[in-house]
Amino acid sequence: MKIVVLDGYTLNPGDLTWERLEKLGDLTVYDRTPADKILERIGDAEIVYTNKTPLTRETFEKAPNIKWVGLLATGYNVVDVDAAKEKGIPVANIPTYGTAAVAQFAFALLLEMCHHVWAHNEAVKKGEWTNCPDFCFWNYPLIELAGKTMGIIGFGRIGQATAKIAQAVGMKVLAYDEYQNKALESDTLKYVELDELLAKSDVISLHCPLFESTKGIINKNTIAKMKDGAMIINTSRGPLIVEEDLAEALNSGKIAGAAVDVVSTEPIKMDNPLLKAKNCIITPHIAWAPKESRERLMNIAVDNLEAFLAGNPVNSE
């Protein structure tokens, strides 16, 4: 059985092993695959793994040996799932590998906005503390989170994990989600409608999927309903935010700070308005990427294939 990984570098830049996959067939791993090489590299392979390399209807029509597709990510958007279904090809994703990592990263972004750790570190190394007439100094406002309110839009696994951290540091949590598990409510956590979340939250963290109903959920109208000086975090999907509207709100001071790990077009384009916005942290889509999380992803990816080969496909569309 021939197995091809079209773009394995992001998952495994060299610190993990493909050993389990190698035991299942004749494995070829490419770090990256440009669009004009996709069909050539798939060749007569029966098993194809992809992370962000697109598999279109044309791909399935011109690569008739494909029997199964494994995604090295959660989203199905890079694969024409309808075309695959028509040919009886299961497409399996990785649903829950990064819950702890993404929740942790959301708080790393928040704590950086609250304390500006790196900027103060740099100031010390430049001699600003040495030359300071006072015992200590700070270049930015410092923010204590205890007693403040975090609004979480999208209260699935990652939203819930983020809420636990928020509660641990003394925050109250307001959750907005179409599906509500009332058993999760407590003195420090309750479900509310979106408008109430916007109006009462000091920090808003996005953890919802990208649907038509959530695209642009952070826009000039919803920002207008927020507290003056609120902070926004996005570790979910870039298009949840209308970036021009957020940049305007940051530059005007309506929003005190934003931290995003995702943007509308990735890699980011240099004309993205958030690049020049005030008080905006941008990281290159790395919330999911600790080694432990990637190792979990790798194992689930192989588990998915083993289940398919055993006649019991899982995590499949």
Side-chain angles (χ1 to χ4, degrees):
M1 181 175 65
K2 291 187 177 180
I3 306 170
V4 171
V5 178
L6 291 173
D7 49 358
Y9 185 85
T10 301
L11 169 61
N12 180 16
D15 56 353
L16 300 178
T17 177
W18 299 101
E19 183 178 352
R20 281 188 64 200
L21 207 52
E22 289 170 340
K23 292 178 180 178
L24 297 178
D26 180 8
L27 176 66
T28 303
V29 178
Y30 296 99
D31 284 346
R32 305 165 189 84
T33 294
D36 61 353
K37 295 287 186 181
I38 294 172
L39 284 170
E40 176 187 328
R41 290 184 174 179
I42 291 174
D44 59 354
E46 297 139 296
I47 305 300
V48 177
Y49 280 98
T50 181
N51 186 339
K52 295 297 183 288
T53 301
L55 300 180
T56 63
R57 179 174 292 275
E58 180 185 10
T59 305
F60 290 111
E61 289 173 351
K62 294 185 177 180
N65 277 21
I66 298 176
K67 300 292 189 297
W68 182 87
V69 171
L71 286 161
L72 299 175
T74 301
Y76 286 94
N77 55 300
V78 299
V79 176
D80 189 329
V81 175
D82 291 335
K85 280 183 179 178
E86 290 170 17
K87 293 187 175 294
I89 301 169
V91 181
N93 77 332
I94 316 288
T96 59
Y97 68 94
T99 301
V102 177
Q104 175 181 310
F105 196 83
F107 254 82
L109 293 174
L110 177 55
L111 292 172
E112 176 62 19
M113 284 195 289
C114 289
H115 296 290
H116 302 274
V117 173
W118 187 254
H120 285 106
N121 164 67
E122 289 290 280
V124 169
K125 292 178 179 178
K126 291 176 182 176
E128 292 183 34
W129 192 18
T130 303
N131 298 319
C132 179
D134 304 307
F135 179 76
C136 57
F137 77 97
W138 51 93
N139 290 334
Y140 299 87
L142 304 175
I143 300 169
E144 183 177 276
L145 291 172
K148 290 186 170 56
T149 298
M150 173 176 276
I152 298 178
I153 300 177
F155 209 60
R157 293 182 182 91
I158 297 174
Q160 291 170 30
T162 304
K164 289 180 180 178
I165 303 174
Q167 290 169 296
V169 299
M171 300 185 78
K172 295 181 180 180
V173 175
L174 301 178
Y176 171 72
D177 198 286
E178 182 179 350
Y179 303 99
Q180 298 185 0
N181 180 359
K182 292 290 188 177
L184 297 174
E185 291 193 319
S186 68
D187 291 343
T188 57
L189 190 160
K190 68 174 183 175
Y191 286 97
V192 294
E193 293 303 313
L194 182 59
D195 280 357
E196 183 176 351
L197 183 151
L198 296 171
K200 293 183 176 179
S201 297
D202 300 292
V203 180
I204 294 173
S205 192
L206 302 179
H207 297 288
C208 53
L210 178 62
F211 298 135
E212 279 304 312
S213 59
T214 59
K215 185 177 181 180
I217 195 168
I218 302 300
N219 58 62
K220 62 182 178 181
N221 295 321
T222 52
I223 290 171
K225 297 176 182 179
M226 296 177 190
K227 285 184 175 183
D228 291 346
M231 294 183 285
I232 296 173
I233 302 164
N234 187 11
T235 54
S236 187
R237 292 290 181 266
L240 296 172
I241 293 176
V242 178
E243 291 164 339
E244 295 84 356
D245 293 352
L246 177 56
E248 182 179 339
L250 286 163
N251 290 332
S252 71
K254 167 67 177 178
I255 298 300
V260 300
D261 187 50
V262 288
V263 291
S264 56
T265 300
E266 296 176 352
I268 195 169
K269 293 185 176 180
M270 291 309 296
D271 62 355
N272 188 302
L274 294 179
L275 286 170
K276 295 183 179 179
K278 296 178 182 177
N279 301 318
C280 187
I281 297 169
I282 307 172
T283 52
H285 204 141
I286 55 173
W288 68 280
K291 183 179 179 182
E292 296 86 348
S293 179
R294 289 184 289 108
E295 191 166 28
R296 193 177 303 117
L297 190 161
M298 175 82 81
N299 285 328
I300 296 171
V302 180
D303 292 344
N304 284 347
L305 177 54
E306 289 179 339
F308 168 71
L309 295 175
N312 301 301
V314 295
N315 300 323
S316 296
E317 284 286 320

PDB file of all heavy atoms in Angstrom, residues 2 4 19 34 67 73 77 80 155 180 200 228 254 265 286-287 316:
ATOM      1  N   LYS A   2       0.589   2.151  -0.927  1.00  0.00           N
ATOM      2  CA  LYS A   2       1.374   3.384  -1.021  1.00  0.00           C
ATOM      3  C   LYS A   2       0.692   4.503  -0.250  1.00  0.00           C
ATOM      4  O   LYS A   2      -0.504   4.747  -0.411  1.00  0.00           O
ATOM      5  CB  LYS A   2       1.551   3.788  -2.483  1.00  0.00           C
ATOM      6  CG  LYS A   2       2.469   2.842  -3.262  1.00  0.00           C
ATOM      7  CD  LYS A   2       2.747   3.375  -4.650  1.00  0.00           C
ATOM      8  CE  LYS A   2       3.725   2.451  -5.388  1.00  0.00           C
ATOM      9  NZ  LYS A   2       4.029   2.943  -6.751  1.00  0.00           N
ATOM     10  N   VAL A   4       1.136   8.632   0.850  1.00  0.00           N
ATOM     11  CA  VAL A   4       1.819   9.889   0.549  1.00  0.00           C
ATOM     12  C   VAL A   4       1.364  10.951   1.537  1.00  0.00           C
ATOM     13  O   VAL A   4       0.164  11.135   1.757  1.00  0.00           O
ATOM     14  CB  VAL A   4       1.527  10.360  -0.892  1.00  0.00           C
ATOM     15  CG1 VAL A   4       2.052  11.778  -1.112  1.00  0.00           C
ATOM     16  CG2 VAL A   4       2.147   9.420  -1.896  1.00  0.00           C
ATOM     17  N   GLU A  19       7.386   6.769  12.180  1.00  0.00           N
ATOM     18  CA  GLU A  19       7.612   5.316  12.271  1.00  0.00           C
ATOM     19  C   GLU A  19       6.320   4.497  12.233  1.00  0.00           C
ATOM     20  O   GLU A  19       6.244   3.490  11.535  1.00  0.00           O
ATOM     21  CB  GLU A  19       8.387   5.008  13.550  1.00  0.00           C
ATOM     22  CG  GLU A  19       8.745   3.528  13.716  1.00  0.00           C
ATOM     23  CD  GLU A  19       9.566   3.275  14.978  1.00  0.00           C
ATOM     24  OE1 GLU A  19       9.978   4.252  15.635  1.00  0.00           O
ATOM     25  OE2 GLU A  19       9.767   2.093  15.304  1.00  0.00           O
ATOM     26  N   PRO A  34       3.730  22.090  -3.957  1.00  0.00           N
ATOM     27  CA  PRO A  34       3.088  23.169  -4.710  1.00  0.00           C
ATOM     28  C   PRO A  34       1.920  22.625  -5.537  1.00  0.00           C
ATOM     29  O   PRO A  34       1.850  21.420  -5.826  1.00  0.00           O
ATOM     30  CB  PRO A  34       4.211  23.689  -5.609  1.00  0.00           C
ATOM     31  CG  PRO A  34       5.157  22.542  -5.741  1.00  0.00           C
ATOM     32  CD  PRO A  34       5.082  21.770  -4.459  1.00  0.00           C
ATOM     33  N   LYS A  67      -7.970   5.782  -2.050  1.00  0.00           N
ATOM     34  CA  LYS A  67      -9.005   5.037  -1.314  1.00  0.00           C
ATOM     35  C   LYS A  67      -9.404   5.755  -0.022  1.00  0.00           C
ATOM     36  O   LYS A  67     -10.483   5.498   0.514  1.00  0.00           O
ATOM     37  CB  LYS A  67      -8.494   3.632  -0.959  1.00  0.00           C
ATOM     38  CG  LYS A  67      -8.104   2.774  -2.150  1.00  0.00           C
ATOM     39  CD  LYS A  67      -9.313   2.402  -2.985  1.00  0.00           C
ATOM     40  CE  LYS A  67      -8.964   1.372  -4.055  1.00  0.00           C
ATOM     41  NZ  LYS A  67      -7.995   1.869  -5.044  1.00  0.00           N
ATOM     42  N   ALA A  73      -5.171  17.977  10.290  1.00  0.00           N
ATOM     43  CA  ALA A  73      -5.747  19.176  10.889  1.00  0.00           C
ATOM     44  C   ALA A  73      -7.205  18.875  11.206  1.00  0.00           C
ATOM     45  O   ALA A  73      -7.706  17.790  10.900  1.00  0.00           O
ATOM     46  CB  ALA A  73      -5.629  20.359   9.932  1.00  0.00           C
ATOM     47  N   ASN A  77     -11.773  22.182   5.059  1.00  0.00           N
ATOM     48  CA  ASN A  77     -11.941  23.140   3.975  1.00  0.00           C
ATOM     49  C   ASN A  77     -10.970  22.945   2.815  1.00  0.00           C
ATOM     50  O   ASN A  77     -11.219  23.432   1.713  1.00  0.00           O
ATOM     51  CB  ASN A  77     -11.809  24.574   4.511  1.00  0.00           C
ATOM     52  CG  ASN A  77     -10.508  24.802   5.246  1.00  0.00           C
ATOM     53  OD1 ASN A  77     -10.219  24.144   6.240  1.00  0.00           O
ATOM     54  ND2 ASN A  77      -9.707  25.732   4.757  1.00  0.00           N
ATOM     55  N   ASP A  80     -12.250  18.792  -1.219  1.00  0.00           N
ATOM     56  CA  ASP A  80     -13.595  18.768  -1.787  1.00  0.00           C
ATOM     57  C   ASP A  80     -14.270  17.494  -1.294  1.00  0.00           C
ATOM     58  O   ASP A  80     -14.198  16.439  -1.926  1.00  0.00           O
ATOM     59  CB  ASP A  80     -13.540  18.807  -3.314  1.00  0.00           C
ATOM     60  CG  ASP A  80     -14.923  19.011  -3.947  1.00  0.00           C
ATOM     61  OD1 ASP A  80     -15.914  18.553  -3.346  1.00  0.00           O
ATOM     62  OD2 ASP A  80     -14.995  19.595  -5.034  1.00  0.00           O
ATOM     63  N   PHE A 155     -18.354  27.818  22.959  1.00  0.00           N
ATOM     64  CA  PHE A 155     -18.047  27.164  24.232  1.00  0.00           C
ATOM     65  C   PHE A 155     -17.989  25.652  24.079  1.00  0.00           C
ATOM     66  O   PHE A 155     -18.634  24.897  24.802  1.00  0.00           O
ATOM     67  CB  PHE A 155     -19.075  27.575  25.293  1.00  0.00           C
ATOM     68  CG  PHE A 155     -18.530  27.563  26.697  1.00  0.00           C
ATOM     69  CD1 PHE A 155     -17.453  28.366  27.037  1.00  0.00           C
ATOM     70  CD2 PHE A 155     -19.089  26.754  27.668  1.00  0.00           C
ATOM     71  CE1 PHE A 155     -16.933  28.364  28.329  1.00  0.00           C
ATOM     72  CE2 PHE A 155     -18.583  26.738  28.956  1.00  0.00           C
ATOM     73  CZ  PHE A 155     -17.514  27.542  29.283  1.00  0.00           C
ATOM     74  N   GLN A 180     -25.998  24.760  24.556  1.00  0.00           N
ATOM     75  CA  GLN A 180     -25.659  25.089  25.937  1.00  0.00           C
ATOM     76  C   GLN A 180     -25.750  23.859  26.832  1.00  0.00           C
ATOM     77  O   GLN A 180     -26.742  23.130  26.797  1.00  0.00           O
ATOM     78  CB  GLN A 180     -26.596  26.177  26.467  1.00  0.00           C
ATOM     79  CG  GLN A 180     -26.503  27.484  25.693  1.00  0.00           C
ATOM     80  CD  GLN A 180     -27.349  28.586  26.300  1.00  0.00           C
ATOM     81  OE1 GLN A 180     -28.026  28.397  27.309  1.00  0.00           O
ATOM     82  NE2 GLN A 180     -27.297  29.764  25.688  1.00  0.00           N
ATOM     83  N   LYS A 200     -20.730  43.225  28.805  1.00  0.00           N
ATOM     84  CA  LYS A 200     -20.227  43.026  30.162  1.00  0.00           C
ATOM     85  C   LYS A 200     -18.790  42.503  30.249  1.00  0.00           C
ATOM     86  O   LYS A 200     -18.213  42.465  31.340  1.00  0.00           O
ATOM     87  CB  LYS A 200     -21.147  42.060  30.915  1.00  0.00           C
ATOM     88  CG  LYS A 200     -22.542  42.617  31.175  1.00  0.00           C
ATOM     89  CD  LYS A 200     -23.390  41.637  31.980  1.00  0.00           C
ATOM     90  CE  LYS A 200     -24.752  42.239  32.327  1.00  0.00           C
ATOM     91  NZ  LYS A 200     -25.595  41.285  33.096  1.00  0.00           N
ATOM     92  N   ASP A 228     -15.758  50.153  26.655  1.00  0.00           N
ATOM     93  CA  ASP A 228     -14.566  50.895  26.266  1.00  0.00           C
ATOM     94  C   ASP A 228     -13.361  50.273  26.972  1.00  0.00           C
ATOM     95  O   ASP A 228     -13.398  50.020  28.180  1.00  0.00           O
ATOM     96  CB  ASP A 228     -14.689  52.363  26.670  1.00  0.00           C
ATOM     97  CG  ASP A 228     -15.733  53.105  25.864  1.00  0.00           C
ATOM     98  OD1 ASP A 228     -16.171  52.580  24.822  1.00  0.00           O
ATOM     99  OD2 ASP A 228     -16.131  54.213  26.293  1.00  0.00           O
ATOM    100  N   LYS A 254     -10.991  52.588  21.452  1.00  0.00           N
ATOM    101  CA  LYS A 254     -12.203  51.885  21.878  1.00  0.00           C
ATOM    102  C   LYS A 254     -11.846  50.498  22.411  1.00  0.00           C
ATOM    103  O   LYS A 254     -12.346  50.057  23.447  1.00  0.00           O
ATOM    104  CB  LYS A 254     -13.179  51.776  20.700  1.00  0.00           C
ATOM    105  CG  LYS A 254     -14.348  50.808  20.913  1.00  0.00           C
ATOM    106  CD  LYS A 254     -15.302  51.294  21.994  1.00  0.00           C
ATOM    107  CE  LYS A 254     -16.495  50.348  22.127  1.00  0.00           C
ATOM    108  NZ  LYS A 254     -17.419  50.750  23.201  1.00  0.00           N
ATOM    109  N   THR A 265      -6.088  36.063   5.850  1.00  0.00           N
ATOM    110  CA  THR A 265      -5.302  35.373   4.824  1.00  0.00           C
ATOM    111  C   THR A 265      -3.970  34.978   5.431  1.00  0.00           C
ATOM    112  O   THR A 265      -3.275  35.819   6.001  1.00  0.00           O
ATOM    113  CB  THR A 265      -5.057  36.289   3.606  1.00  0.00           C
ATOM    114  OG1 THR A 265      -6.317  36.674   3.049  1.00  0.00           O
ATOM    115  CG2 THR A 265      -4.240  35.560   2.548  1.00  0.00           C
ATOM    116  N   ILE A 286       0.259  29.557  15.776  1.00  0.00           N
ATOM    117  CA  ILE A 286       1.073  28.570  16.493  1.00  0.00           C
ATOM    118  C   ILE A 286       0.426  28.054  17.776  1.00  0.00           C
ATOM    119  O   ILE A 286       1.036  27.268  18.507  1.00  0.00           O
ATOM    120  CB  ILE A 286       2.465  29.134  16.827  1.00  0.00           C
ATOM    121  CG1 ILE A 286       2.354  30.450  17.617  1.00  0.00           C
ATOM    122  CG2 ILE A 286       3.285  29.323  15.560  1.00  0.00           C
ATOM    123  CD1 ILE A 286       3.687  30.978  18.132  1.00  0.00           C
ATOM    124  N   ALA A 287      -0.805  28.468  18.057  1.00  0.00           N
ATOM    125  CA  ALA A 287      -1.436  28.030  19.305  1.00  0.00           C
ATOM    126  C   ALA A 287      -1.509  26.506  19.402  1.00  0.00           C
ATOM    127  O   ALA A 287      -1.396  25.943  20.489  1.00  0.00           O
ATOM    128  CB  ALA A 287      -2.839  28.630  19.425  1.00  0.00           C
ATOM    129  N   SER A 316     -14.668  10.512  10.170  1.00  0.00           N
ATOM    130  CA  SER A 316     -14.729  10.613   8.711  1.00  0.00           C
ATOM    131  C   SER A 316     -15.980  11.307   8.219  1.00  0.00           C
ATOM    132  O   SER A 316     -17.058  11.188   8.787  1.00  0.00           O
ATOM    133  CB  SER A 316     -14.668   9.202   8.092  1.00  0.00           C
ATOM    134  OG  SER A 316     -13.448   8.582   8.370  1.00  0.00           O
TER     135      SER A 316
END
